[in-house]
Amino acid sequence: MGKSSKDNRDIFYRKAKEEGWRARSAFKLIQIDEEYSIFEGVKKVVDLCAAPGSWSQVLSRRIFKDGSDPDIKIVAVDLQEMAPLKGVIQIKGDITSLQTANEIISHFDGHLADLVISDGAPDVTGLHDIDFYGQSQLILSALNITTQLLKPGGTFVAKMFKGDDMTLMYSQLKLFFEFVSFVKPKSSRDSSLENFVLCQNYIPPPSYKPVMIDPVLENQYKQLQYQQLEQHQEPINNNNNTSVSSSNKIIVPFIASGDLSPMIDIDQSRTQLN
């Protein structure tokens, strides 16, 4: 990491401390809004993978404000608990669960969200391909629940890692949004592979029916789906007894084969052999 990157990190770190933000990542959401106006006209927001709460904190200050508008609702979701924030409803839940989706919607009085955001990331291994795959699966999980929550015309923002397969992610997201772009706020370090995917104007395919399918765990479902695609059979039903249309099949999942844990550094293995 170069000196300039360290200086930028220190600037935003100090600024976060001075302004009372829980983490410097708050500035990333603020800068995305400043450039793309994602908060404009927004009254109902969902923050996925919210802990420790810096993005929810931005929503509290920039959207909820003094609480004078009763129509504004902010829901934060995470498996971990976080300290309370003014105007933010917290749900401890799994974003791959239909129960979590229903609980979120229940707080919106039958309405859908204007904006869904996610700053979540898996534990980083240091192996770029594995980290990129894990982050991609997390985005698909966030997109999965977003199709249950987001109103037509809404916006979706999620953390993304740079990788060779970004075109695949772009194609998958373009099925649901008119505009998809990758953005990197200035508060994100230049040396970091982190950027954010900004999806605007949610327009799901006419035949699409939202279903809650875990893109990592539903391998049995995927295998049956592949068989039907090959045999040109009718679509199967998922666990919720909801028919899955041809639009749902367009998102092609990735299935890891074998155990990834024994992977070792190639340089280390050569040293051992020598």
Side-chain angles (χ1 to χ4, degrees):
M1 184 183 300
K3 183 178 184 299
S4 61
S5 296
K6 289 183 179 179
D7 290 343
N8 287 333
R9 179 195 62 189
D10 292 340
I11 289 171
F12 288 106
Y13 176 82
R14 291 196 301 267
K15 193 174 180 181
K17 290 290 186 181
E18 292 170 1
E19 297 182 9
W21 298 109
R22 294 186 176 181
R24 65 189 301 279
S25 57
F27 294 110
K28 299 171 187 177
L29 183 61
I30 291 172
Q31 289 163 1
I32 292 173
D33 175 57
E34 288 175 347
E35 186 168 354
Y36 298 97
S37 302
I38 62 172
F39 293 165
E40 184 176 349
V42 168
K43 291 183 178 292
K44 293 175 174 57
V45 194
V46 181
D47 184 5
L48 303 174
C49 307
S54 61
W55 278 24
S56 291
Q57 195 176 15
V58 174
L59 299 176
S60 176
R61 294 188 188 183
R62 296 294 180 95
I63 296 180
F64 183 77
K65 299 179 181 177
D66 59 0
S68 58
D69 189 341
D71 292 331
I72 291 179
K73 295 287 179 65
I74 301 170
V75 177
V77 185
D78 203 289
L79 289 171
Q80 301 179 14
E81 295 181 355
M82 64 184 194
L85 286 166
K86 182 177 67 174
V88 178
I89 301 167
Q90 296 188 31
I91 295 176
K92 187 177 180 181
D94 184 349
I95 65 171
T96 65
S97 166
L98 180 61
Q99 179 181 353
T100 301
N102 290 334
E103 187 175 355
I104 294 170
I105 294 173
S106 70
H107 291 289
F108 291 156
D109 302 321
H111 298 282
L112 295 174
D114 304 300
L115 172 66
V116 178
I117 60 177
S118 174
D119 191 33
D123 293 334
V124 176
T125 66
L127 300 172
H128 175 64
D129 289 343
I130 295 177
D131 293 336
F132 177 80
Y133 166 70
Q135 183 66 21
S136 298
Q137 294 303 303
L138 185 59
I139 292 176
L140 290 180
S141 295
L143 174 64
N144 199 12
I145 193 171
T146 294
T147 61
Q148 301 272 349
L149 309 173
L150 192 61
K151 75 176 187 181
T155 300
F156 172 63
V157 179
K159 179 182 287 186
M160 178 76 184
F161 291 158
K162 292 180 183 178
D164 296 334
D165 252 353
M166 290 177 70
T167 52
L168 173 60
M169 178 61 64
Y170 175 85
S171 300
Q172 292 171 325
L173 293 168
K174 276 291 286 182
L175 292 171
F176 298 93
F177 295 90
E178 182 179 4
F179 305 106
V180 176
S181 55
F182 298 105
V183 299
K184 189 174 181 67
K186 60 183 179 181
S187 54
S188 180
R189 294 189 297 271
D190 292 338
S191 61
S192 172
L193 295 177
E194 166 198 82
N195 61 5
F196 295 86
V197 59
L198 171 63
C199 308
Q200 298 169 294
N201 196 14
Y202 176 56
I203 308 176
S207 59
Y208 180 77
K209 296 180 181 179
V211 292
M212 292 300 293
I213 302 170
D214 188 321
V216 176
L217 301 179
E218 294 286 347
N219 290 339
Q220 182 178 4
Y221 169 83
K222 294 173 188 174
Q223 292 167 0
L224 291 173
Q225 193 180 59
Y226 296 153
Q227 291 174 7
Q228 290 176 349
L229 285 171
E230 293 174 355
Q231 300 171 9
H232 304 287
Q233 296 178 359
E234 292 297 318
I236 63 172
N237 292 341
N238 66 350
N239 294 334
N240 301 321
N241 296 320
T242 305
S243 177
V244 181
S245 71
S246 58
S247 298
N248 297 69
K249 296 178 181 179
I250 300 175
I251 295 184
V252 181
F254 175 89
I255 302 177
S257 177
D259 184 5
L260 300 179
S261 60
M263 296 181 67
I264 60 174
D265 189 283
I266 186 65
D267 293 330
Q268 179 183 355
S269 65
R270 287 172 178 168
T271 301
Q272 292 173 350
L273 289 174
N274 292 334

